[in-house]
Amino acid sequence: MRCLRRASWVAGAVLALALTSCSSPVVSVEESDTEVRLTATIDRVGPMGSEDDCADSARVELRRPLGERVVIDQSSGERRDVAAPD
């Protein structure tokens, strides 16, 4: 199941994340020169077991701005696009 719905750049080195969770998610970050890998640990999904039942958010601060690095959702291994700030 994919936990990371959306990632948005807030400012500087901060990303805002939208996650499929019905609890307070804990997000770990692994950074390299080319990638930022995000792993969300959640206590539970929605009451019906669907990733569409609930939504939580989290913010993570990277060691340095994202720049040209790609964001990878560790739960799926997929590259995730990052939305620019409004």
Side-chain angles (χ1 to χ4, degrees), residues 31-78:
E31 295 183 58
S32 74
D33 289 340
T34 58
E35 295 179 333
V36 173
R37 292 185 169 269
L38 302 173
T39 303
T41 303
I42 58 175
D43 290 336
R44 59 185 164 51
V45 293
M48 302 303 289
S50 168
E51 62 183 58
D52 295 324
D53 289 342
C54 296
D56 275 315
S57 63
R59 286 186 179 217
V60 295
E61 186 164 355
L62 306 176
R63 286 183 277 134
R64 61 185 174 91
L66 183 62
E68 297 297 316
R69 297 183 291 171
V70 297
V71 172
I72 305 293
D73 177 357
Q74 286 285 82
S75 67
S76 66
E78 295 177 0

Side-chain angles (χ1 to χ4, degrees), residues 4 6-10 14-17 36 38 62 66-67 69-72 79-85:
L4 179 60
R6 185 174 57 255
S8 303
W9 175 63
V10 177
V14 178
L15 297 179
L17 310 175
V36 173
L38 302 173
L62 306 176
L66 183 62
R69 297 183 291 171
V70 297
V71 172
I72 305 293
R79 177 182 173 160
R80 305 295 292 180
D81 292 329
V82 177

